[in-house]
Short mmCIF file of all heavy atoms in Angstrom, two decimals:
data_model
loop_
_atom_site.label_atom_id
_atom_site.label_comp_id
_atom_site.label_asym_id
_atom_site.label_seq_id
_atom_site.Cartn_x
_atom_site.Cartn_y
_atom_site.Cartn_z
N VAL E 283 95.78 117.46 100.86
CA VAL E 283 94.48 117.26 100.17
C VAL E 283 94.37 118.33 99.08
O VAL E 283 94.01 118.01 97.93
CB VAL E 283 93.30 117.38 101.20
CG1 VAL E 283 91.98 117.50 100.47
CG2 VAL E 283 93.33 116.21 102.15
N ALA E 284 94.70 119.58 99.39
CA ALA E 284 94.61 120.65 98.42
C ALA E 284 95.58 120.40 97.27
O ALA E 284 95.27 120.71 96.11
CB ALA E 284 94.83 121.98 99.10
N ALA E 285 96.81 119.96 97.60
CA ALA E 285 97.83 119.78 96.58
C ALA E 285 97.35 118.69 95.56
O ALA E 285 97.51 118.87 94.35
CB ALA E 285 99.13 119.32 97.23
N LEU E 286 96.76 117.61 96.06
CA LEU E 286 96.31 116.54 95.21
C LEU E 286 95.17 117.02 94.28
O LEU E 286 95.13 116.71 93.12
CB LEU E 286 95.84 115.35 96.07
CG LEU E 286 96.04 113.94 95.56
CD1 LEU E 286 97.44 113.72 95.07
CD2 LEU E 286 95.67 112.97 96.69
N GLU E 287 94.31 117.82 94.84
CA GLU E 287 93.20 118.44 94.05
C GLU E 287 93.78 119.30 92.93
O GLU E 287 93.39 119.24 91.80
CB GLU E 287 92.29 119.22 94.91
CG GLU E 287 91.26 118.42 95.70
CD GLU E 287 90.46 119.27 96.67
OE1 GLU E 287 90.33 120.49 96.46
OE2 GLU E 287 89.94 118.71 97.61
N LEU E 288 94.69 120.16 93.38
CA LEU E 288 95.19 121.22 92.51
C LEU E 288 95.94 120.61 91.27
O LEU E 288 95.76 121.05 90.15
CB LEU E 288 96.14 122.10 93.31
CG LEU E 288 96.48 123.52 92.75
CD1 LEU E 288 95.20 124.30 92.50
CD2 LEU E 288 97.33 124.25 93.73
N VAL E 289 96.74 119.62 91.52
CA VAL E 289 97.49 119.04 90.40
C VAL E 289 96.60 118.40 89.40
O VAL E 289 96.90 118.34 88.20
CB VAL E 289 98.58 118.13 90.91
CG1 VAL E 289 98.06 116.75 91.25
CG2 VAL E 289 99.77 118.00 89.89
N GLN E 290 95.42 117.91 89.88
CA GLN E 290 94.53 117.25 88.93
C GLN E 290 93.65 118.25 88.20
O GLN E 290 93.14 118.02 87.11
CB GLN E 290 93.69 116.20 89.64
CG GLN E 290 94.57 115.05 90.20
CD GLN E 290 93.75 114.07 91.04
OE1 GLN E 290 93.13 113.18 90.48
NE2 GLN E 290 93.79 114.24 92.32
N ARG E 291 93.39 119.39 88.84
CA ARG E 291 92.49 120.39 88.27
C ARG E 291 93.21 121.33 87.30
O ARG E 291 92.62 121.85 86.38
CB ARG E 291 91.92 121.23 89.45
CG ARG E 291 90.66 122.00 89.09
CD ARG E 291 90.24 122.85 90.22
NE ARG E 291 91.19 123.92 90.50
CZ ARG E 291 91.54 124.32 91.78
NH1 ARG E 291 91.03 123.75 92.80
NH2 ARG E 291 92.38 125.29 91.91
N ASP E 292 94.54 121.55 87.58
CA ASP E 292 95.19 122.62 86.78
C ASP E 292 96.36 121.99 86.01
O ASP E 292 97.51 121.98 86.51
CB ASP E 292 95.72 123.68 87.80
CG ASP E 292 96.39 124.82 87.06
OD1 ASP E 292 96.51 124.78 85.78
OD2 ASP E 292 96.89 125.77 87.77
N PRO E 293 96.12 121.56 84.74
CA PRO E 293 97.18 120.97 83.94
C PRO E 293 98.36 121.92 83.65
O PRO E 293 99.46 121.46 83.30
CB PRO E 293 96.50 120.52 82.65
CG PRO E 293 95.09 121.03 82.71
CD PRO E 293 94.86 121.62 84.04
N SER E 294 98.12 123.19 83.77
CA SER E 294 99.13 124.17 83.42
C SER E 294 100.35 124.01 84.40
O SER E 294 101.49 124.39 84.01
CB SER E 294 98.63 125.65 83.44
OG SER E 294 98.47 126.06 84.76
N LEU E 295 100.15 123.50 85.58
CA LEU E 295 101.29 123.33 86.52
C LEU E 295 102.30 122.40 85.92
O LEU E 295 103.47 122.71 85.85
CB LEU E 295 100.76 122.77 87.88
CG LEU E 295 100.00 123.76 88.72
CD1 LEU E 295 99.21 122.97 89.78
CD2 LEU E 295 100.92 124.74 89.39
N MET E 296 101.86 121.21 85.54
CA MET E 296 102.79 120.21 84.93
C MET E 296 103.38 120.75 83.59
O MET E 296 104.55 120.55 83.32
CB MET E 296 102.10 118.91 84.67
CG MET E 296 101.65 118.15 85.93
SD MET E 296 103.05 117.54 86.90
CE MET E 296 103.67 116.29 85.76
N GLU E 297 102.54 121.44 82.85
CA GLU E 297 103.03 121.99 81.55
C GLU E 297 104.18 123.01 81.81
O GLU E 297 105.18 122.96 81.11
CB GLU E 297 101.90 122.69 80.80
CG GLU E 297 101.01 121.65 80.09
CD GLU E 297 99.63 122.20 79.73
OE1 GLU E 297 99.47 123.45 79.72
OE2 GLU E 297 98.69 121.42 79.55
N ARG E 298 103.98 123.88 82.80
CA ARG E 298 105.00 124.90 83.09
C ARG E 298 106.27 124.24 83.65
O ARG E 298 107.39 124.64 83.31
CB ARG E 298 104.48 125.95 84.02
CG ARG E 298 103.61 127.00 83.34
CD ARG E 298 103.69 128.37 84.01
NE ARG E 298 103.52 128.24 85.41
CZ ARG E 298 102.31 128.16 86.05
NH1 ARG E 298 101.25 128.18 85.32
NH2 ARG E 298 102.26 128.06 87.36
N LEU E 299 106.08 123.27 84.48
CA LEU E 299 107.25 122.57 85.06
C LEU E 299 108.12 122.05 83.94
O LEU E 299 109.34 122.17 83.92
CB LEU E 299 106.78 121.42 85.97
CG LEU E 299 107.89 120.51 86.50
CD1 LEU E 299 108.81 121.27 87.43
CD2 LEU E 299 107.27 119.33 87.26
N TRP E 300 107.45 121.40 82.94
CA TRP E 300 108.25 120.77 81.87
C TRP E 300 108.74 121.70 80.81
O TRP E 300 109.78 121.53 80.29
CB TRP E 300 107.43 119.60 81.31
CG TRP E 300 107.59 118.42 82.24
CD1 TRP E 300 106.71 118.10 83.26
CD2 TRP E 300 108.68 117.55 82.32
NE1 TRP E 300 107.24 117.02 83.96
CE2 TRP E 300 108.41 116.65 83.42
CE3 TRP E 300 109.90 117.38 81.60
CZ2 TRP E 300 109.32 115.66 83.80
CZ3 TRP E 300 110.76 116.40 81.94
CH2 TRP E 300 110.48 115.54 83.07
N SER E 301 107.92 122.81 80.51
CA SER E 301 108.43 123.73 79.53
C SER E 301 109.60 124.52 80.13
O SER E 301 110.59 124.77 79.45
CB SER E 301 107.31 124.68 79.00
OG SER E 301 106.77 125.42 80.03
N ASN E 302 109.50 124.84 81.38
CA ASN E 302 110.63 125.52 82.05
C ASN E 302 111.90 124.59 82.03
O ASN E 302 113.02 125.03 81.85
CB ASN E 302 110.29 125.84 83.49
CG ASN E 302 109.48 127.13 83.59
OD1 ASN E 302 109.37 127.87 82.63
ND2 ASN E 302 108.90 127.36 84.77
N THR E 303 111.66 123.32 82.34
CA THR E 303 112.78 122.34 82.37
C THR E 303 113.47 122.24 81.01
O THR E 303 114.69 122.33 80.94
CB THR E 303 112.22 120.94 82.76
OG1 THR E 303 111.73 121.07 84.10
CG2 THR E 303 113.28 119.89 82.70
N ARG E 304 112.66 122.14 79.96
CA ARG E 304 113.24 121.99 78.57
C ARG E 304 114.05 123.30 78.24
O ARG E 304 115.10 123.21 77.72
CB ARG E 304 112.13 121.71 77.58
CG ARG E 304 111.65 120.31 77.61
CD ARG E 304 110.69 120.01 76.43
NE ARG E 304 109.43 120.80 76.55
CZ ARG E 304 108.35 120.32 77.18
NH1 ARG E 304 108.38 119.12 77.69
NH2 ARG E 304 107.29 121.06 77.24
N TYR E 305 113.42 124.45 78.53
CA TYR E 305 114.06 125.68 78.19
C TYR E 305 115.44 125.83 78.92
O TYR E 305 116.40 126.18 78.30
CB TYR E 305 113.13 126.85 78.56
CG TYR E 305 113.70 128.22 78.32
CD1 TYR E 305 113.82 128.70 77.01
CD2 TYR E 305 114.12 129.02 79.36
CE1 TYR E 305 114.38 129.96 76.80
CE2 TYR E 305 114.68 130.28 79.13
CZ TYR E 305 114.82 130.73 77.82
OH TYR E 305 115.38 131.98 77.64
N PHE E 306 115.39 125.59 80.21
CA PHE E 306 116.62 125.84 81.03
C PHE E 306 117.70 124.91 80.59
O PHE E 306 118.88 125.33 80.44
CB PHE E 306 116.26 125.64 82.50
CG PHE E 306 117.30 126.13 83.43
CD1 PHE E 306 117.68 127.51 83.49
CD2 PHE E 306 117.98 125.26 84.31
CE1 PHE E 306 118.62 127.93 84.37
CE2 PHE E 306 118.94 125.72 85.15
CZ PHE E 306 119.27 127.06 85.20
N LYS E 307 117.39 123.63 80.34
CA LYS E 307 118.43 122.68 79.93
C LYS E 307 119.00 123.07 78.54
O LYS E 307 120.21 123.02 78.35
CB LYS E 307 117.80 121.31 79.78
CG LYS E 307 117.79 120.50 81.08
CD LYS E 307 117.41 119.05 80.77
CE LYS E 307 116.51 118.47 81.86
NZ LYS E 307 117.18 118.50 83.19
N ALA E 308 118.09 123.39 77.62
CA ALA E 308 118.52 123.75 76.27
C ALA E 308 119.46 124.98 76.26
O ALA E 308 120.49 125.01 75.63
CB ALA E 308 117.34 124.00 75.37
N GLU E 309 119.07 125.95 77.10
CA GLU E 309 119.90 127.23 77.10
C GLU E 309 121.26 126.95 77.78
O GLU E 309 122.27 127.50 77.34
CB GLU E 309 119.13 128.30 77.86
CG GLU E 309 117.84 128.81 77.16
CD GLU E 309 118.19 129.47 75.83
OE1 GLU E 309 119.04 130.36 75.78
OE2 GLU E 309 117.52 129.07 74.82
N LEU E 310 121.26 126.10 78.82
CA LEU E 310 122.57 125.78 79.48
C LEU E 310 123.45 125.08 78.44
O LEU E 310 124.66 125.35 78.37
CB LEU E 310 122.31 124.91 80.67
CG LEU E 310 121.86 125.59 81.95
CD1 LEU E 310 121.43 124.53 83.00
CD2 LEU E 310 122.99 126.50 82.55
N ALA E 311 122.84 124.18 77.67
CA ALA E 311 123.65 123.43 76.71
C ALA E 311 124.21 124.38 75.64
O ALA E 311 125.36 124.30 75.21
CB ALA E 311 122.81 122.32 76.06
N THR E 312 123.39 125.33 75.25
CA THR E 312 123.80 126.30 74.19
C THR E 312 125.00 127.16 74.73
O THR E 312 125.91 127.45 74.02
CB THR E 312 122.66 127.26 73.85
OG1 THR E 312 121.54 126.46 73.40
CG2 THR E 312 123.02 128.24 72.76
N LEU E 313 124.95 127.41 76.03
CA LEU E 313 126.10 128.14 76.63
C LEU E 313 127.36 127.32 76.74
O LEU E 313 128.45 127.82 76.95
CB LEU E 313 125.68 128.63 78.03
CG LEU E 313 124.67 129.80 78.10
CD1 LEU E 313 124.24 130.02 79.57
CD2 LEU E 313 125.25 131.07 77.52
N GLY E 314 127.20 125.97 76.60
CA GLY E 314 128.37 125.11 76.64
C GLY E 314 128.49 124.32 77.92
O GLY E 314 129.52 123.65 78.13
N PHE E 315 127.46 124.36 78.77
CA PHE E 315 127.50 123.59 80.04
C PHE E 315 127.10 122.14 79.76
O PHE E 315 126.30 121.84 78.91
CB PHE E 315 126.59 124.22 81.09
CG PHE E 315 127.10 125.49 81.65
CD1 PHE E 315 126.49 126.70 81.32
CD2 PHE E 315 128.17 125.55 82.54
CE1 PHE E 315 126.94 127.94 81.84
CE2 PHE E 315 128.63 126.72 83.06
CZ PHE E 315 128.01 127.92 82.71
N ASP E 316 127.62 121.29 80.66
CA ASP E 316 127.30 119.81 80.64
C ASP E 316 126.25 119.52 81.68
O ASP E 316 126.52 119.64 82.85
CB ASP E 316 128.54 119.02 80.89
CG ASP E 316 128.33 117.51 80.87
OD1 ASP E 316 127.14 117.10 80.70
OD2 ASP E 316 129.33 116.76 80.96
N THR E 317 125.03 119.23 81.26
CA THR E 317 123.97 118.93 82.21
C THR E 317 123.81 117.40 82.46
O THR E 317 122.80 116.95 82.98
CB THR E 317 122.61 119.53 81.78
OG1 THR E 317 122.26 119.04 80.50
CG2 THR E 317 122.67 121.04 81.73
N MET E 318 124.84 116.69 82.08
CA MET E 318 125.01 115.26 82.49
C MET E 318 123.83 114.35 82.15
O MET E 318 123.54 113.39 82.85
CB MET E 318 125.25 115.22 84.05
CG MET E 318 126.40 116.10 84.48
SD MET E 318 126.75 116.07 86.25
CE MET E 318 127.54 114.47 86.45
N GLY E 319 123.20 114.64 81.07
CA GLY E 319 122.16 113.72 80.54
C GLY E 319 120.91 113.68 81.39
O GLY E 319 120.08 112.77 81.25
N SER E 320 120.71 114.68 82.24
CA SER E 320 119.50 114.71 83.04
C SER E 320 118.25 114.71 82.22
O SER E 320 118.20 115.29 81.13
CB SER E 320 119.53 115.97 83.92
OG SER E 320 118.22 116.37 84.24
N GLN E 321 117.21 114.02 82.70
CA GLN E 321 115.95 113.87 81.92
C GLN E 321 114.79 114.59 82.61
O GLN E 321 113.66 114.46 82.19
CB GLN E 321 115.56 112.41 81.77
CG GLN E 321 116.60 111.55 81.11
CD GLN E 321 116.36 110.05 81.28
OE1 GLN E 321 116.61 109.52 82.32
NE2 GLN E 321 115.72 109.44 80.25
N THR E 322 115.04 115.22 83.75
CA THR E 322 113.96 115.69 84.60
C THR E 322 114.26 117.15 85.00
O THR E 322 115.31 117.66 84.69
CB THR E 322 113.82 114.85 85.85
OG1 THR E 322 115.03 114.93 86.58
CG2 THR E 322 113.57 113.37 85.49
N PRO E 323 113.40 117.76 85.80
CA PRO E 323 113.71 119.13 86.27
C PRO E 323 114.96 119.25 87.09
O PRO E 323 115.53 120.34 87.22
CB PRO E 323 112.45 119.50 87.11
CG PRO E 323 111.32 118.64 86.55
CD PRO E 323 111.99 117.37 86.14
N ILE E 324 115.46 118.13 87.63
CA ILE E 324 116.74 118.17 88.31
C ILE E 324 117.82 118.31 87.23
O ILE E 324 118.01 117.51 86.35
CB ILE E 324 116.99 116.84 89.04
CG1 ILE E 324 116.00 116.65 90.15
CG2 ILE E 324 118.46 116.77 89.60
CD1 ILE E 324 116.02 115.25 90.81
#
Side-chain angles (χ1 to χ4, degrees):
V283 169
L286 213 50
E287 280 176 21
L288 198 55
V289 79
Q290 295 176 82
R291 197 184 69 219
D292 183 359
S294 76
L295 286 164
M296 294 290 292
E297 283 160 19
R298 280 211 310 279
L299 174 64
W300 282 95
S301 62
N302 280 347
T303 295
R304 283 188 293 269
Y305 177 73
F306 193 63
K307 275 191 215 303
E309 294 295 310
L310 281 170
T312 303
L313 288 172
F315 288 107
D316 180 355
T317 57
M318 306 181 74
S320 152
Q321 301 167 282
T322 63
I324 296 172

